[in-house]
Each structure stands twice: as C-alpha cells, then as structure tokens.
Amino acid sequence: GGECTNTKGSYVCKCPHGSVSSLDGSRCIDQRLGSCFTALVGGRCAEKRNWQLSKMQCCCDNGRCWAASHTPEICPVRGSDEYRRLCIGIVHGTPGHIPGSIPFGPENGGG
C-alpha cells in the first residue's frame, strides 16, 4: 500500500498508518502486528503462533496465513510475484528477519 513516486535517481513514498518506507524508498512495508498461522487445514488457517508478527515476518518465514484483525488472509505462494514483492529485503538464512530490525520472537520479548 501507499503512494510512491519515481523521482530522479530515487523514490518517494507516502505510506499509510502502520507502514514505513523501505530502505531504498521504493515501496511501503506493512509493520502492523498480527496473528501468524503456520498451517492450512481443510482450507482454513490453523496452528496460531503465540506471539504477534508483521505480515512480512510471518509470510516470508514459514507462516501460511496472517491476520491484522479477525479475518486471516492466506500468505502469498512462495516464488510468486506477490511473494517477491512482500519478501524483498529479507536476509536469506535468517527467516522472518527484517534488515535493520531486532529479530522478533518469544526469546526477544515478542511473545
């Protein structure tokens, strides 16, 4: 989400509440925390984690669904264009880690 403008040699984004501009300024990153589900059972989201994650942290790690409110949404399919858009900037080998952030989980005060 957000409104990004390609300027000479850069980008400028106006991001909605709950989002921040990416490091290169080319897109908005949703930073809202929500519930992460690690399984799909019978087409429904299941196995809810006990701590809150951003959509990027959830879906780019091993999450299958994410919910900022009551209605979960299925994470994008790995390898799809939507997955690449969401997960650009993830440091490979550190799932769920956003560059420049503190890893989030129960061992780091996230749960």
Side-chain angles (χ1 to χ4, degrees):
E3 185 179 311
C4 298
T5 305
N6 189 355
T7 62
K8 187 174 182 177
S10 187
Y11 295 91
V12 176
C13 291
K14 294 178 185 172
C15 300
H17 180 73
S19 295
V20 296
S21 181
S22 62
L23 293 176
D24 67 358
S26 66
R27 64 194 178 104
C28 294
I29 299 170
D30 189 343
Q31 291 291 292
R32 296 173 299 156
L33 297 180
S35 300
C36 185
F37 301 82
T38 58
L40 278 173
V41 178
R44 297 179 64 103
C45 301
E47 298 183 27
K48 181 178 170 184
R49 289 187 172 177
N50 291 326
W51 59 90
Q52 300 277 291
L53 296 171
S54 72
K55 184 176 181 179
M56 180 186 281
Q57 289 170 318
C58 175
C59 294
C60 299
D61 187 356
N62 66 349
R64 299 295 304 273
C65 303
W66 180 82
S69 60
H70 299 292
T71 307
E73 56 186 90
I74 295 175
C75 291
V77 175
R78 290 185 186 271
S80 68
D81 287 343
E82 186 180 357
Y83 179 85
R84 283 189 286 277
R85 278 192 299 274
L86 178 65
C87 300
I88 288 172
I90 296 296
V91 177
H92 297 289
T94 53
H97 177 69
I98 299 171
S101 71
I102 297 170
F104 195 84
E107 66 279 0
N108 293 313

